[in-house]
């Protein structure tokens, strides 16, 4: 057997020097390691190991582009070393070049199929490309070869979370933490997966573990704040977001999330400022821009023209990242020789206002003329989900997909008309509409302003929500249904939901109610309600919502009420009431409802009408602000619609002045609305179906 030739003294010295650099590198002394690598390259510019290691170090220290160049030089000198291709994949991924990273990792695996590091690198790149099922498979291959690497289990958990397989994700994070309990990233991401399952207390505990290990951890602080918001602890959430921003002031996600929370507690101006701050840091942050549009849609200081300009900006950015389809698989004859194939895109196909309005429609569509395919953006399901699913010919979960892949999946289903039920609300997939996956696309129900998306062809409205002359508030074409754009699913016949007597008859005073989210109740609304109470000296105000479950939420609202001039002794603050039947039955405490403005109630107004309780509403100048006017007019109560603040105050006083008339209205109101199209899904379904069929012609 021949002996390996000895290194020359010069090469031996370089090798010893390189070994010293590697020791520094492994010990975390990166500046010292880099100096040695560069010394080696100064003596031997084509030293493969020095080029490779320096490239890895550069990628680790935020200089990924330089690292890519160095490792590529090493690959040119020795293209048969799997580790070079694997680490090149990592550096490419750090540069945002995920497609090339997959190719480099694949080259490493072609040279060494059992190379665990390359399988991990490939999984990471595939996840970045949202090829999530392939990413999980790559991690699984790595684990089969070596199940003792905590990072692989953690990365696998992240991919499973992206796929909305949250229970499996938690199990994967648990495997990572069993191997390395001191792993803050795994604790943080485990908390997010628990939160997605509604296990909020457990999620907080997981974030607590992450923060104990890494106190100034922006992502954990941000996620913890999101969970606090989900729990309704909004004041605590605001403070937690502010902690995240103290750790990282230039954190657009935390700024946007803080904006959402401020909005939910009625601090509208501050919310808008936070969204704009997020966009100043990252102009293409579509989620922050979408949140901004939702907030501006009911900002009393935002004109329709200013809103439309912002919506167009969103649309331009969404379109910039899209490649719209120009041909579709649909065939002629939709709704005539064959059923119209309608796609519904929503994250709210469950116990949610969207679900409550949708169920009656789906129950009454003519199956010979229309078939429905649902595209759900959220994993949460309940009994209403199951009833909706039974009315669909197809059901697809797209929440784990990026917009391009979601659009491709929708396109593959040969949809004639694609209906967005979310707009700029939470869980939307508006970016997919920019790809134009269906030949006709419509905005309806979940959002009540222009989406701004160029591929959105129509917005469904009615003659009251968008009166003639208001079309210039939309990038979409306004398509009006004959009477109302909303039809509520009639409630079940339940003895617990019998209409009660007018409470004022036995109490001797009128109780004015509002069950709206505080995001709708701005300071201008509170000042108006103060005037109402002044006009009705014996009346009481009853405010009910989930934000009042917590003491800090009640205290914050009390401070706002006092600042608006409301006597707190005349206000009852009620938290959420568990169960829909119990919530509906609580209308026996209220004589009439007060609508906030410019964001009125919709679901709550329909529920109140069913329970015999009318609503005083104020008609504004936008589609959203005119929803109450549309609902009350459809219910046969146009005289309950005010047209300015003074009229609103006077109308409440006038309706409360004749308790006999109010009592009589209460007793006949359910039958009255049952006879209207507002609660007639069979008639509404025919009108809705005809509108969509006509669009395709």
């Amino acid at each position: 057997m021949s002996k390996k030739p000895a290194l020359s003294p010069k090469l031996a010295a370089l090798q010893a020097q390189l070994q010293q650099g590697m020791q520094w590198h492994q010990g975390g002394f990166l500046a010292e390691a880099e100096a040695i690598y560069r010394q080696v390259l100064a003596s031997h510019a084509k030293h493969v190991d020095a080029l490779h290691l320096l490239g890895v170090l550069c990628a680790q220290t935020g200089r990924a582009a330089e690292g890519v160049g160095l490792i590529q030089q090493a690959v040119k000198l020795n293209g048969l070393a799997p580790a070079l291709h694997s680490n090149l994949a990592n550096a490419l991924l750090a540069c945002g070049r995920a497609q090339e990273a997959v190719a480099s990792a694949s080259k490493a695996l072609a040279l060494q199929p059992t190379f665990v590091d390359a399988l991990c690198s490939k999984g990471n790149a595939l996840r970045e490309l949202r090829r999530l099922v392939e990413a999980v498979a790559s991690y699984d291959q790595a684990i089969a070869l070596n199940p003792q690497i905590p990072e692989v289990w953690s990365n696998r958990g992240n991919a499973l979370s992206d796929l909305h397989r949250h229970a499996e994700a938690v199990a994967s994070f648990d495997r990572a933490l069993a191997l390395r309990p001191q792993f803050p990233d795994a604790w943080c991401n485990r908390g997010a997966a628990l939160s997605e399952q509604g296990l909020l207390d457990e999620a907080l505990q997981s974030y607590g573990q992450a923060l104990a290990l890494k106190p100034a951890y922006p992502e954990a602080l941000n996620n913890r704040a999101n969970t606090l918001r989900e729990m309704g602890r909004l004041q605590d959430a605001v403070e937690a977001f502010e902690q995240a921003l103290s750790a990282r002031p230039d954190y657009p996600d935390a700024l946007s999330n803080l904006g959402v929370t401020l909005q939910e507690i009625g601090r509208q101006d501050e919310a808008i400022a936070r969204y704009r701050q997020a966009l100043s840091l990252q102009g293409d942050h579509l989620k922050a821009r979408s949140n901004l549009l939702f907030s501006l849609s009911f900002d009393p200081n935002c004109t329709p023209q200013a809103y439309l300009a912002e919506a167009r900006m969103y649309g331009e950015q969404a379109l910039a990242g899209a490649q719209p389809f120009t041909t579709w698989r649909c065939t002629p004859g939709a709704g005539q020789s064959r059923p119209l194939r309608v796609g519904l895109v929503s994250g709210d196909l469950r116990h949610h206002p969207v679900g409550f309005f949708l169920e009656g429609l789906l129950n009454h569509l003519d199956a010979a003329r229309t078939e429905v395919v649902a595209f759900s953006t959220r994993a949460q399901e309940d009994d209403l989900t199951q009833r909706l699913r039974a009315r669909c010919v197809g059901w697809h979960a797209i929440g784990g997909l990026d917009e391009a892949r979601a659009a491709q999946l929708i396109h593959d289903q040969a949809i004639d008309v694609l209906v967005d039920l979310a707009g700029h609300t939470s869980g939307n997939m508006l970016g997919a509409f920019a790809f134009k996956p269906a030949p006709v696309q419509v905005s309806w129900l979940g959002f009540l302003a222009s989406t701004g998306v160029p591929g959105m062809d129509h917005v469904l409205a009615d003659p009251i929500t968008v009166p003639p002359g208001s079309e210039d508030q939309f990038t979409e074409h306004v398509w009006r249904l004959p009477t109302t754009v909303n039809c509520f699913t009639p409630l079940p016949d339940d003895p617990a939901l019998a209409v009660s007597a007018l409470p004022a008859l036995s109490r001797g005073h009128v109780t004015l109610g509002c069950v709206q989210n505080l995001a709708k109740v701005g300071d201008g609304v509170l000042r108006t309600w103060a005037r109402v109470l002044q006009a009705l000296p014996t009346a009481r105000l009853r405010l009910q919502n989930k934000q009042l479950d917590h003491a800090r939420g009640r205290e914050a609202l009390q401070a706002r009420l006092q600042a608006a001039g409301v006597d707190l002794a005349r206000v009852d603050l009620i938290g959420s009431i568990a169960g829909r039947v119990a919530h509906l039955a609580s209308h026996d405490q209220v004589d009439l409802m007060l609508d906030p403005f410019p964001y009125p109630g919709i679901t709550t107004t329909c529920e109140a009408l069913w329970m015999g309780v009318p609503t005083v509403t104020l008609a504004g100048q936008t589609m959203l602000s005119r929803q109450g006017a549309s609902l009350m007019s459809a219910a046969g109560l146009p005289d309950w619609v005010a047209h300015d603040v003074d009229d609103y105050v006077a109308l409440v006083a006038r309706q409360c002045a004749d308790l006999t008339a109010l009592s009589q209205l209460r007793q006949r109101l359910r039958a009255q609305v049952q006879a209207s199209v507002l609660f007639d899904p069979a008639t509404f379904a025919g009108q809705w179906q005809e509108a969509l069929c006509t669009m395709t012609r």
Side-chain angles (χ1 to χ4, degrees):
M1 180 182 248
S2 59
K3 290 185 178 181
K4 185 177 179 181
L7 293 173
S8 68
K10 180 179 179 181
L11 286 177
L14 285 174
Q15 196 63 28
Q17 196 174 9
L18 191 66
Q19 287 292 330
Q20 179 61 54
M22 291 170 64
Q23 290 176 13
W24 286 119
H25 196 161
Q26 292 167 1
F29 299 96
L30 302 186
E32 293 81 354
E34 180 172 349
I36 291 176
Y37 296 153
R38 292 194 183 279
Q39 288 170 19
V40 171
L41 290 170
S43 300
H44 191 334
K46 294 185 177 181
H47 196 295
V48 173
D49 290 342
L51 286 166
H52 173 215
L53 292 167
L54 180 58
V56 170
L57 189 149
C58 287
Q60 290 173 337
T61 53
R63 294 168 289 162
E66 183 181 356
V68 166
L70 289 162
I71 301 173
Q72 284 176 332
Q73 290 180 56
V75 167
K76 287 179 182 177
L77 295 168
N78 180 10
L80 298 178
L84 271 62
H85 292 288
S86 180
N87 285 329
L88 177 58
N90 294 334
L92 286 164
L93 185 58
C95 285
R97 295 159 63 179
Q99 197 69 54
E100 295 170 77
V102 170
S104 285
S106 297
K107 287 178 184 177
L109 291 165
L111 293 165
Q112 185 180 331
T114 59
F115 190 5
V116 171
D117 287 354
L119 286 164
C120 297
S121 300
K122 185 176 181 181
N124 294 341
L126 287 167
R127 180 181 174 232
E128 187 67 24
L129 291 169
R130 308 299 289 176
R131 292 163 58 182
L132 300 171
V133 173
E134 295 172 75
V136 172
S138 195
Y139 295 134
D140 284 343
Q141 290 178 56
I143 287 167
L145 293 165
N146 183 355
Q148 302 302 312
I149 306 174
E151 288 83 0
V152 184
W153 285 106
S154 182
N155 290 341
R156 178 178 180 271
N158 291 332
L160 289 166
S161 283
D162 292 342
L163 284 165
H164 290 191
R165 291 160 57 182
H166 300 299
E168 295 174 75
V170 170
S172 202
F173 292 128
D174 286 343
R175 292 295 297 270
L177 291 163
L179 293 166
R180 184 191 299 163
Q182 310 292 310
F183 194 169
D185 289 357
W187 282 113
C188 177
N189 293 327
R190 178 180 183 270
L194 288 165
S195 187
E196 287 290 341
Q197 296 176 80
L199 303 172
L200 304 183
D201 289 326
E202 293 178 52
L204 284 184
Q205 292 172 12
S206 203
Y207 296 136
Q209 294 280 3
L211 291 165
L213 296 166
K214 188 177 175 181
Y217 187 177
E219 289 80 8
L221 289 164
N222 176 64
N223 289 354
R224 178 175 176 273
N226 279 328
T227 298
L228 289 168
R229 187 182 72 218
E230 286 292 317
M231 298 173 83
R233 295 169 54 184
L234 300 180
Q235 304 297 329
D236 294 335
V238 167
E239 293 173 4
F241 282 126
E242 288 171 345
Q243 289 172 3
L245 290 165
S246 294
R248 184 191 299 169
D250 59 344
Y251 192 179
D253 287 356
L255 285 163
S256 181
N257 292 335
L258 174 56
V260 172
T261 313
L262 291 168
Q263 182 174 290
E264 287 186 9
I265 56 178
R267 292 161 62 179
Q268 177 85 338
D269 293 344
E270 294 174 75
I272 290 171
R274 292 302 190 183
Y275 298 141
R276 294 198 184 282
Q277 190 178 350
L279 289 166
S280 72
L281 293 169
Q282 186 180 335
D284 62 350
H285 197 301
L286 276 181
K287 188 170 184 180
R289 194 167 295 282
S290 186
N291 287 339
L292 173 64
L293 284 170
F294 177 70
S295 196
L296 291 177
S297 73
F298 61 95
D299 177 17
N301 301 313
C302 183
T303 66
Q305 294 74 27
Y307 172 87
L308 191 62
E310 293 281 0
R312 289 186 189 280
M313 197 177 303
Y314 174 90
E316 290 168 5
Q317 291 185 348
L319 188 60
Q323 293 182 325
F325 291 98
T326 55
T327 60
W328 300 272
R329 295 174 53 195
C330 314
T331 58
Q336 299 168 40
S337 60
R338 67 170 178 83
L340 182 76
R341 194 165 170 85
V342 177
L344 303 178
V345 182
S346 176
D348 301 318
L349 303 173
R350 54 192 169 90
H351 277 265
H352 182 276
V354 166
F356 298 151
F357 280 94
L358 197 58
E359 184 177 14
L361 170 69
L362 295 189
N363 286 343
H364 289 84
L365 287 178
D366 181 353
R369 293 185 61 199
T370 307
E371 59 184 21
V372 175
V373 180
F375 301 94
S376 176
T377 67
R378 281 202 178 106
Q380 295 100 316
E381 296 189 355
D382 53 33
D383 61 303
L384 179 51
T385 307
Q386 300 310 314
R387 297 199 298 274
L388 296 175
R389 190 195 295 266
R391 296 294 178 179
C392 298
V393 300
W395 189 283
H396 303 274
I398 61 172
L401 304 180
D402 63 14
E403 287 86 352
R405 291 180 182 277
Q408 184 66 59
L409 188 154
I410 294 167
H411 182 267
D412 291 345
Q413 295 301 309
I415 301 299
D416 295 305
V417 182
L418 187 66
V419 183
D420 173 55
L421 302 175
H424 290 288
T425 63
S426 174
N428 75 72
M429 188 64 84
L430 271 182
F433 282 77
F435 286 80
K436 193 69 172 173
V440 178
Q441 302 189 149
V442 183
S443 172
W444 174 60
L445 188 60
F447 186 66
L448 301 159
S450 179
T451 65
V453 176
M456 197 71 75
D457 300 294
H458 307 286
V459 56
L460 278 183
D462 62 44
I464 292 180
T465 55
V466 185
S470 303
E471 295 85 357
D472 61 356
Q473 296 181 13
F474 301 87
T475 60
E476 303 87 351
H477 168 257
V478 176
W479 195 291
R480 294 179 182 87
L481 297 179
T483 51
T484 174
V485 73
N486 296 306
C487 179
F488 202 66
T489 304
L491 291 154
D493 187 13
D494 188 322
L497 299 184
V499 174
S500 68
L502 188 75
L505 295 178
S506 57
R507 291 176 176 171
H509 65 80
V510 170
T511 301
L512 310 169
C514 181
V515 295
Q516 304 300 328
N517 187 304
L518 290 182
K520 300 182 179 185
V521 184
D523 291 340
V525 173
L526 295 181
R527 288 192 292 271
T528 302
W529 288 351
R531 290 179 57 190
V532 167
L533 290 174
Q534 289 166 6
L536 298 167
T538 63
R540 294 191 63 78
L541 179 61
R542 185 180 192 273
L543 304 181
Q544 174 189 319
N545 60 57
K546 65 180 181 180
Q547 293 140 315
L548 301 177
D549 287 344
H550 303 280
R552 297 192 67 186
R554 292 192 296 274
E555 291 163 4
L557 178 57
Q558 286 171 335
R560 291 180 58 217
L561 286 163
Q562 279 189 310
V566 175
D567 180 1
L568 294 183
R570 298 175 63 190
V571 180
D572 299 311
L573 301 183
I574 313 296
S576 56
I577 296 177
R580 195 174 184 208
V581 169
H583 162 71
L584 291 165
S586 71
H587 285 79
D588 66 0
Q589 301 296 308
V590 179
D591 295 290
L592 61 82
M593 288 290 183
L594 299 180
D595 229 354
F597 51 85
Y599 193 166
I602 301 173
T603 302
T604 51
T605 298
C606 291
E607 290 175 337
L609 287 168
W610 185 263
M611 299 305 298
V613 183
T615 298
V616 171
T617 189
L618 194 160
Q621 302 303 311
T622 65
M623 182 182 186
L624 173 60
S625 66
R626 297 182 64 81
Q627 292 298 308
S630 174
L631 295 172
M632 297 306 288
S633 297
L637 298 173
D639 55 335
W640 284 73
V641 180
H643 299 284
D644 58 39
V645 170
D646 291 342
D647 189 20
Y648 182 100
V649 174
L651 181 55
V652 177
R654 188 163 63 251
Q655 298 294 2
C656 292
D658 187 345
L659 294 185
T660 300
L662 192 58
S663 175
Q664 292 170 348
L665 174 61
R666 189 183 189 95
Q667 296 307 313
R668 72 171 186 270
L669 190 52
R670 180 177 294 181
Q672 180 173 317
V673 298
Q674 275 185 295
S676 74
V677 70
L678 186 60
F679 283 85
D680 181 2
T683 299
F684 181 81
Q687 296 174 352
W688 189 88
Q689 208 164 230
E690 182 59 31
L692 269 58
C693 284
T694 306
M695 290 173 190
T696 65
R697 296 176 200 144

